[in-house]
Amino acid sequence: MMRRLIGVVTVFALGVCLSPAAAVAQQALVIKPLAEKKVTELPNGPLFWRIENFPTLAQAEAAAGHMGLAAESGGKTWLFTLGPAGGASAGGAKVAEVGPLPNVVATQYLLRINEASGPPGSITRVHTHPGSEAFYVLAGEQNIRTPHGVMRVRVGQAETGHGADTPMQVSSSGSTDLHALVMFVVDADKPFSSPAEFPSAQR
């Protein structure tokens, strides 16, 4: 059964190699878990996150099924469903679909929805996750820096992140406050987030 996490706020500490003055000037991005569940199997084939809006949380929860997570954010009710491309939930209005996701292999999986928010310039420490994540931006602009380069996700855009254990740093890179929803499929038996460093050439 889905376990909703309400009122739990995790603030990632800044963990980049900056001068002391620069570190003081940068604010931590606020990360808030909205919903999560553990499953022992994933659907076969390429996986996508389907993002839908519902009139009420009760309706979204009723439509969630085994692979869905319902949550409220930004004054709207959301249903995030993991599965093949092209699906639809009865009663929902489709907002976006993002994937295919990088493959994750585990004996137990954690599906989680986080909310990321913060003013321009706010940032997370460098970290990794034991699985895949995807992003949908409601306001502002999100910057995801990895050894593969920098990904910018703008308002109304959905993007897929890189695979498990990729060092990454997320920031609010627009001119207005960031409000983003982040979808995870990770190995439930490993720490959800671990401190990391970029290769020396990128520091």
Side-chain angles (χ1 to χ4, degrees), residues 154-195:
R154 296 177 173 85
V155 175
Q157 289 186 331
E159 293 288 349
T160 302
H162 295 282
D165 303 319
T166 300
M168 64 182 303
Q169 187 174 43
V170 181
S171 63
S172 173
S173 55
S175 58
T176 59
D177 288 4
L178 172 69
H179 181 191
L181 300 171
V182 190
M183 297 141 272
F184 294 90
V185 184
V186 300
D187 188 334
D189 297 323
K190 295 181 179 179
F192 177 75
S193 180
S194 300

Side-chain angles (χ1 to χ4, degrees), residues 35 43 120 123:
I123 195 167

Side-chain angles (χ1 to χ4, degrees), residues 144-159:
I144 301 100
R145 179 187 174 208
T146 74
H148 304 282
V150 176
M151 177 191 302
R152 291 185 183 274
V153 188
R154 296 177 173 85
V155 175
Q157 289 186 331
E159 293 288 349

Side-chain angles (χ1 to χ4, degrees), residues 9-90:
V9 177
T10 302
V11 178
F12 283 105
L14 183 65
V16 291
C17 295
L18 300 170
S19 68
V24 170
Q26 287 191 289
Q27 180 176 331
L29 201 66
V30 176
I31 308 299
K32 178 183 177 181
L34 298 180
E36 68 174 34
K37 67 169 57 170
K38 291 182 180 179
V39 297
T40 55
E41 292 182 338
L42 299 179
N44 293 326
L47 295 179
F48 294 73
W49 280 108
R50 184 173 70 250
I51 306 170
E52 298 166 301
N53 285 140
F54 276 76
T56 69
L57 183 60
Q59 288 173 296
E61 289 175 338
H66 187 54
M67 290 290 163
L69 292 169
E72 294 177 313
S73 182
K76 294 183 177 182
T77 299
W78 304 84
L79 178 62
F80 306 86
T81 305
L82 185 68
S89 302

Side-chain angles (χ1 to χ4, degrees), residues 130-151:
S132 72
E133 62 187 298
F135 313 92
Y136 181 70
V137 172
L138 301 177
E141 182 181 86
Q142 191 172 40
N143 215 30
I144 301 100
R145 179 187 174 208
T146 74
H148 304 282
V150 176
M151 177 191 302

